[in-house]
């Protein structure tokens, strides 16, 4: 039997069929390029998929990623995506933890209350601040987000263009105090300067920590960068619900890519990528090779380094390569009904209608970081909850909807990858799941276990993913949902921006290989920005090469 790889050619090969790869494929195929996407898994989408993880339960949960904020309308419009996003009325609800400093105790009404941010009712929001003893923070909280919205309005439009320079963006903002507070100084300083209540401070800080293992005053400002990305989506910072679940996003993108003429191959496990544009992969247990003018890496930079090493004959991640670390756990639940709250005046539909924070006060978040940094799972475990089915019941069967069933997604913070190993993963998963349930129960009026649905075999409908599970399933290094450390969405003033790849923030050390995933300069979250930037860099390069050839000047490496 002939085992020699079959060699094919393409203009562009995209390694990885996640949502960014599909965005790039759609744009490049529409530009007339021959594009092939190679996806290792049996289905496209990467982390942007829907699944039915519970046997006999007809619900399509967003298994990994779950909300959309950074996907520009420009991409939706230009690719003609059949996609509906729903805006949630409630921003967040944060129950006051029992024993919170400054509250007399469980007998006091404030100890059963919570902070509800109702975007449709400012008066109700103000009353909620007063109910938890934080009336003095109501106006400063509103003012804080009014000021930061100006930053969002300036940064957001730049994400679909070449990288702006730091000084140019600062000049556009025309508010040095805001730039200084949000871009140059730890976010903890501005939070502590303007807000006094521990719960209110925690509501703000949480968006700076999601998926990032950091503290409010860290000097490297990783928390500021994370906060900025959570702030700028759509120019408003709103996080929207995709109707049909995250799988609907992937379906729309795959349809656009196929309609444009891209070839999408699933079950294709890429084993090596060479700097010359040769991609080796296994499909149906047979080796194949694709040669391309350009390779787009819709995988993490760590995974790309491994594939490049394999091509050079030295498998494994190169020595000294950075090891990203994720810091979250993901728990999916199916409920027969929403649980009762400690505050009987508030409906569960309102509390779970936005982001439900549990044990995420400012002091709790810092204590949890210190606990995890010392090698222990934080207790109580800070986490936030999202109920997709309240905003979009279409993911449930008619029978489940009629019965009042709901989905819950829990995203636990400060669960760094360093706490788990291959040998301990099963036990650690159980420990994390128990900690999540205990944390949730500490702010509810009844045990969440009483609301859990049972699957066809009588097992509770709960699925927990550790960082190691994410690494195994999606090849996210260290379970890092951003593929690595997030970077500012602008270039420093002395940074070279000489090539299209540099200008779009997708360059690697190899001319033919570009990043196009979450590890690119403006990657992270379900945004399509990594794919869009990579596609624009390729189109810019191809256009320049065609113009050069038309004038009698050739450019190496470009041929169609």
């Amino acid at each position: 039997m002939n085992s020699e790889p079959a060699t094919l050619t393409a203009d562009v090969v995209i390694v990885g069929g996640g949502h960014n790869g599909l965005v790039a494929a759609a744009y490049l195929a529409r530009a007339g390029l021959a594009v092939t996407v190679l996806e290792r898994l049996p289905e496209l989408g990467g982390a942007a998929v829907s699944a039915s993880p519970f046997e006999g339960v007809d619900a399509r949960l967003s298994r990994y990623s779950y909300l959309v904020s950074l996907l520009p309308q420009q991409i939706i419009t230009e690719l003609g995506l059949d996609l509906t996003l729903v805006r949630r009325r409630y921003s967040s609800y944060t129950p006051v933890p029992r024993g919170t400093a400054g509250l007399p105790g469980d007998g006091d009404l404030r100890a059963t209350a919570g902070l509800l941010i109702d975007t449709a009712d400012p008066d109700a929001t103000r009353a909620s601040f007063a109910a938890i003893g934080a009336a003095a923070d109501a106006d400063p909280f509103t003012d804080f987000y009014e000021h930061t919205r100006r930053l969002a309005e300036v940064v957001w439009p730049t994400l679909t263009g070449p990288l702006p320079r730091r000084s140019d963006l600062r000049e556009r903002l025309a508010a040095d105090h805001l730039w200084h507070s949000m871009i140059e100084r730890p976010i903890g300083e501005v939070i502590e300067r303007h807000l006094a209540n521990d719960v209110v401070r925690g509501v703000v800080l949480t968006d700076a920590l999601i998926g990032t293992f950091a503290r409010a005053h860290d000097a490297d400002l990783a928390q500021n960068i994370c906060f900025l990305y959570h702030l700028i989506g759509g120019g408003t910072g709103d996080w929207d619900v995709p109707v049909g679940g995250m799988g609907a996003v992937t379906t729309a993108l795959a349809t656009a890519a196929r309609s444009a003429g891209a070839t999408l191959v699933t079950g294709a496990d890429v084993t090596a990528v060479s700097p010359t544009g040769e991609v080796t992969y296994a499909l149906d247990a047979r080796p194949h090779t694709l040669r391309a003018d350009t390779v787009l890496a819709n995988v993490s930079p760590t995974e790309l380094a491994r594939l490049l090493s394999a091509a050079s004959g030295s498998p494994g991640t190169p020595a000294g390569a950075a090891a990203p670390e994720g810091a979250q756990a993901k728990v999916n639940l199916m409920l027969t009904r929403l649980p009762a709250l400690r505050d009987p005046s508030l409906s569960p539909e309102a509390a779970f209608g936005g982001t439900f924070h549990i044990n995420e006060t400012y002091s709790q978040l810092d204590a949890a970081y210190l606990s995890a940094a010392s090698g222990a799972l934080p207790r109580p475990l800070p986490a936030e909850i999202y109920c997709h089915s309240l905003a979009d019941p279409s993911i449930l069967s008619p029978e489940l909807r009629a019965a009042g069933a709901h989905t819950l997604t829990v995203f636990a913070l400060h669960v760094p990858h360093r706490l788990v190993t291959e040998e301990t993963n099963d036990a650690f998963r159980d420990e994390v799941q128990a900690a999540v349930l205990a944390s949730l129960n500490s702010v509810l009026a009844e045990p969440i276990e009483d609301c859990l649905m049972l699957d066809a075999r009588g097992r509770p409908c709960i699925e927990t993913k550790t960082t190691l599970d994410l690494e195994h399933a999606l090849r996210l290094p260290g379970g890092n949902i951003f593929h690595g450390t997030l970077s500012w969405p602008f270039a420093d003033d002395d940074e070279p921006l000489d090539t299209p790849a540099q200008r779009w923030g997708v360059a690697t050390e190899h001319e033919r290989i570009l990043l196009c995933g979450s590890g690119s300069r403006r990657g992270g979250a379900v945004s399509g920005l990594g794919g869009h930037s990579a596609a624009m860099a390729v189109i810019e390069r191809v256009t320049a090469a065609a113009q050069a050839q038309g004038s009698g000047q050739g450019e190496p490496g470009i041929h169609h």
Side-chain angles (χ1 to χ4, degrees):
M1 180 177 177
N2 183 10
S3 61
E4 288 297 315
T7 301
L8 304 172
T9 61
D11 293 321
V12 180
V13 172
I14 302 176
V15 180
H19 82 281
N20 274 307
L22 297 174
V23 168
Y27 272 108
L28 293 172
R30 287 161 61 97
L33 299 179
V35 181
T36 297
V37 177
L38 301 175
E39 168 54 45
R40 173 179 60 92
L41 297 174
E43 62 178 339
L44 298 163
V49 293
S50 297
S52 299
F54 307 121
E55 185 177 344
V57 178
D58 191 5
R60 296 280 292 171
L61 280 70
S62 297
R63 196 167 205 174
Y64 300 110
S65 57
Y66 48 96
L67 287 172
V68 175
S69 166
L70 292 167
L71 178 61
Q73 182 61 43
Q74 177 182 330
I75 292 178
I76 296 173
T77 301
E78 289 178 348
L79 297 184
L81 302 183
D82 183 12
L83 182 63
T84 301
L85 303 177
V86 176
R87 182 68 42 86
R88 298 177 296 173
R89 167 178 172 174
Y90 300 100
S91 175
S92 66
Y93 176 68
T94 308
V96 176
R98 288 183 173 92
T100 297
L103 296 186
D106 289 345
D108 189 275
L109 288 177
R110 288 176 293 175
T112 64
L115 178 60
L116 180 69
I117 308 298
D118 183 348
T119 59
D121 192 337
D123 291 336
T125 297
R126 184 178 296 277
S128 188
F129 272 88
I132 67 166
D137 276 344
D139 286 339
F141 181 88
T142 300
D143 291 344
F144 175 84
Y145 282 102
E146 286 296 327
H147 282 94
T148 55
R149 177 166 291 202
R150 171 59 184 158
L151 183 60
E153 290 170 348
V154 170
V155 174
W156 176 248
T158 72
L159 298 185
T160 51
L163 286 169
R165 293 283 190 187
R166 174 187 283 264
S167 58
D168 292 340
L169 200 57
R170 180 171 185 165
E171 186 176 341
R172 290 185 215 178
L173 182 62
D176 281 350
H177 65 285
L178 182 56
W179 182 272
H180 181 79
S181 296
M182 302 303 299
I183 307 297
E184 296 183 351
R185 298 299 304 166
I187 195 171
E189 293 181 5
V190 69
I191 291 175
E192 292 175 14
R193 188 163 60 245
H194 291 283
L195 302 168
N197 182 273
D198 196 37
V199 173
V200 178
R201 286 178 171 182
V203 170
V204 177
L205 181 61
T206 299
D207 280 343
L209 302 180
I210 297 174
T212 301
F213 192 49
R215 300 177 77 184
H217 289 276
D218 280 354
D220 65 3
L221 304 184
Q223 72 279 21
N224 291 50
I225 300 172
C226 184
F227 185 84
L228 180 64
Y229 280 103
H230 281 92
L231 174 78
I232 62 178
T236 64
D238 290 301
W239 287 76
D240 295 335
V241 177
V243 173
M246 292 305 299
V249 177
T250 291
T251 297
L253 288 169
T255 298
R258 286 195 182 98
S259 298
T263 299
L264 311 180
V265 184
T266 57
D269 189 3
V270 175
T271 55
V273 174
S274 78
T276 60
E278 186 170 278
V279 178
T280 304
Y281 63 100
L283 179 64
D284 297 328
R286 291 188 56 205
H288 297 263
T289 300
L290 263 172
R291 291 196 178 98
D293 290 336
T294 305
V295 177
L296 301 187
N298 187 31
V299 295
S300 72
T302 300
E303 177 68 3
L304 175 60
R306 186 186 70 81
L307 296 174
L308 288 165
S309 294
S312 68
S314 55
T317 302
E325 181 179 39
Q328 71 292 312
K330 176 83 184 290
V331 183
N332 291 314
L333 307 94
M334 276 298 308
L335 305 182
T336 56
R337 58 180 172 81
L338 292 175
L341 306 173
R342 295 203 329 251
D343 181 355
S345 69
L346 182 67
S347 72
E349 288 76 15
F352 288 95
T355 299
F356 189 113
H357 299 283
I358 55 175
N359 291 306
E360 289 187 329
T361 71
Y362 197 71
S363 58
Q364 284 179 317
L365 288 167
D366 199 55
Y369 175 91
L370 294 174
S371 178
S374 70
L377 185 68
R379 295 181 184 276
L381 189 61
E384 51 196 53
I385 303 167
Y386 152 68
C387 179
H388 185 113
S389 51
L390 276 174
D392 170 33
S394 73
I395 65 169
L396 304 177
S397 69
E399 293 76 16
L400 288 176
R401 292 199 295 271
H406 281 291
T407 64
L408 281 191
T409 289
V410 183
F411 195 87
L413 275 63
H414 290 339
V415 189
H417 192 60
R418 68 190 70 178
L419 299 182
V420 65
T421 66
E422 293 285 354
E423 293 73 25
T424 64
N425 193 37
D426 289 342
F428 185 68
R429 187 186 306 112
D430 291 341
E431 183 183 3
V432 169
Q433 182 169 298
V436 165
L437 296 180
S439 188
L440 181 52
N441 286 338
S442 74
V443 298
L444 295 176
E446 63 176 326
I448 190 66
E449 290 88 344
D450 290 353
C451 303
L452 281 176
M453 186 176 291
L454 302 180
D455 70 6
R457 299 190 188 185
R459 299 169 298 188
C461 292
I462 180 168
E463 175 189 62
T464 300
K465 300 289 185 181
T466 67
T467 52
L468 192 55
D469 293 330
L470 296 177
E471 185 173 78
H472 289 162
L474 302 173
R475 291 190 179 171
L476 299 176
N480 190 297
I481 59 174
F482 304 132
H483 288 191
T485 303
L486 289 170
S487 55
W488 292 115
F490 51 78
D492 286 330
D493 290 343
D494 59 352
E495 189 174 340
L497 298 178
D498 302 321
T499 68
Q502 290 173 338
R503 286 191 287 276
W504 286 92
V506 294
T508 72
E509 60 182 329
H510 304 293
E511 182 185 5
R512 288 178 179 267
I513 302 174
L514 309 182
L515 296 172
C516 89
S518 289
S520 62
R521 191 56 173 268
R522 293 173 288 197
V526 178
S527 67
L529 291 170
H532 176 269
S533 293
M536 296 304 105
V538 172
I539 291 171
E540 183 179 327
R541 184 174 175 223
V542 169
T543 300
Q547 292 172 346
Q549 288 174 349
S551 63
Q553 302 172 7
E555 180 180 335
I558 301 290
H559 45 86
H560 302 287

